[in-house]
């Protein structure tokens, strides 16, 4: 039901936020934005990214593919349908 779906959604949101926090604290250098594979897949037409070496982060058994965000394609963002 609704409660189960809400708990499941909260669980996955927590995993996403946790991974983002780990990437920002252990991979990114000051003034850098580093994203994971899922965020890259969802935004790759909007941003220019550079793949980094897979890295181990706390709480994950396998290396994580991370991407350094180099810039945003503002023309694509502005022209995207709402």
């Amino acid at each position: 039901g609704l409660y189960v779906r809400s708990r499941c959604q909260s669980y996955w949101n927590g995993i996403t936020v946790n991974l983002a926090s780990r990437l920002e604290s252990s991979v990114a250098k000051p003034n850098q934005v580093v994203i994971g594979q899922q965020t890259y897949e969802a935004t790759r037409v909007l941003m220019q990214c550079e793949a980094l070496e897979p890295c181990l982060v706390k709480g994950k058994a396998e290396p994580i593919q991370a991407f350094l965000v180099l810039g945003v394609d503002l023309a694509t963002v502005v022209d995207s349908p709402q």
Side-chain angles (χ1 to χ4, degrees):
L2 181 58
Y3 177 71
V4 172
R5 192 174 314 134
S6 177
R7 282 188 61 183
C8 184
Q9 185 64 38
S10 294
Y11 172 78
W12 289 111
N13 286 344
I15 288 174
T16 302
V17 170
N18 188 34
L19 177 58
S21 175
R22 300 276 192 235
L23 289 173
E24 290 299 317
S25 66
S26 63
V27 178
K29 293 177 177 63
N31 299 315
Q32 288 184 334
V33 175
V34 175
I35 59 176
Q37 182 73 39
Q38 287 183 311
T39 302
Y40 171 74
E41 292 295 331
T43 61
R44 65 183 176 179
V45 299
L46 303 174
M47 298 189 296
Q48 298 84 43
C49 296
E50 175 183 310
L52 301 174
E53 291 291 322
C55 55
L56 288 172
V57 295
K58 183 178 175 183
K60 298 290 182 181
E62 298 294 321
I64 300 297
Q65 178 61 61
F67 296 84
L68 174 63
V69 177
L70 302 174
V72 177
D73 184 355
L74 293 177
T76 302
V77 173
V78 171
D79 292 338
S80 295
Q82 299 292 330

